[in-house]
Amino acid sequence: MSDDTAEDPALAHPPRDGASAGPPPRKGVCAITGRVLSRKDLVPLTLLRPSLAERFMQKYPGLTEESLISRGEVARLRAARVEEMLEQERGELGELEHKVAQSLATSSTLAANTDDDYDEHRSLGERLADIMATFGGSWSFLLSFAIVLMVWMAYNLWRGEGSFDPYPFILLNLVLSCLAAIQAPVIMMSQRRQEAKDRARALNDYAVNLKVELEVRNLHEKLDHLLMRQWERLAEIQQLQLEIMQERRPRG
């Protein structure tokens, strides 16, 4: 049974000596859903970035700075905020932008080897076309084809009128024309699949770059928030030190 529904022994028995009932020390209550969760699954509202905390305060006015929010609710609202920000900057969002927003919310990776994924789903005809196009554009094909042509022409010139393809090599021209007619569509099919692979790679690069851009922006916002909190705490400590020094100053 999960932590959300399990009955804790401390909750099964009423507290003694007038102690108030509540979640165990290592657990807390989400201020939005009211579910009892482990403290590691809860985030204080004061630790969130200001923009995200303001959205929580606007959507749930009853929250305070000490309220605990579950990580699932934080991820859901973060995804909605990212989608809203992308929509304001880029207009209508597509499937790729929604995927980036969900990846940011769940902290999942977007980088993928699109070439291997594409090659795994090729059919037998596509594999043969790629092999033929690769061989047709290599020096091995050029050299072997040149040897075949020279042998063909030399044999028929040597045999003269009794050869199967005498000069001017009409059969050889027919074979070359058929080879060119077959090879051209095969090369075009291979090029079209290469374009599809390049398009998938470009889309994956765009998604990764977009996520990195948003992550860097969020990182700057977090650093600014931490610096502001640190300066506030330093100012409070300095004020307390001044008050202590004034209290310890001898009165004359």
Side-chain angles (χ1 to χ4, degrees), residues 156-252:
N156 287 278
L157 288 174
W158 175 65
R159 291 294 301 269
E161 294 296 333
S163 64
F164 65 90
D165 186 22
Y167 184 83
F169 312 117
I170 297 176
L171 180 59
L172 178 61
N173 292 328
L174 179 62
V175 171
L176 293 178
S177 299
C178 294
L179 180 62
I182 295 174
Q183 192 177 20
V186 171
I187 294 176
M188 293 178 63
M189 287 188 293
S190 181
Q191 289 178 346
R192 188 174 64 251
R193 282 190 294 278
Q194 185 63 40
E195 291 176 359
K197 291 173 62 176
D198 295 340
R199 190 180 304 111
R201 189 186 302 115
L203 289 175
N204 184 71
D205 292 341
Y206 168 74
V208 173
N209 292 335
L210 179 59
K211 182 181 179 181
V212 170
E213 179 182 350
L214 296 174
E215 289 281 14
V216 171
R217 185 182 303 179
N218 292 336
L219 182 59
H220 280 291
E221 188 176 349
K222 289 179 181 179
L223 290 176
D224 294 339
H225 177 54
L226 291 176
L227 289 175
M228 290 297 297
R229 285 179 54 85
Q230 187 176 7
W231 279 110
E232 291 176 359
R233 294 186 62 182
L234 289 176
E236 293 177 359
I237 293 174
Q238 186 177 9
Q239 184 64 29
L240 290 175
Q241 290 177 346
L242 291 175
E243 292 177 358
I244 294 174
M245 292 176 62
Q246 290 178 357
E247 292 178 357
R248 293 183 178 183
R249 182 179 300 174
R251 300 178 182 179

Side-chain angles (χ1 to χ4, degrees), residues 6 28 57 81 114-115 137 143 215:
M57 297 291 289
R81 177 178 176 273
T114 56
D115 292 345
L143 295 176
E215 289 281 14

Side-chain angles (χ1 to χ4, degrees), residues 7-16 20-25:
E7 183 179 2
D8 192 83
L11 299 177
H13 302 282
R16 300 179 180 178
S20 58

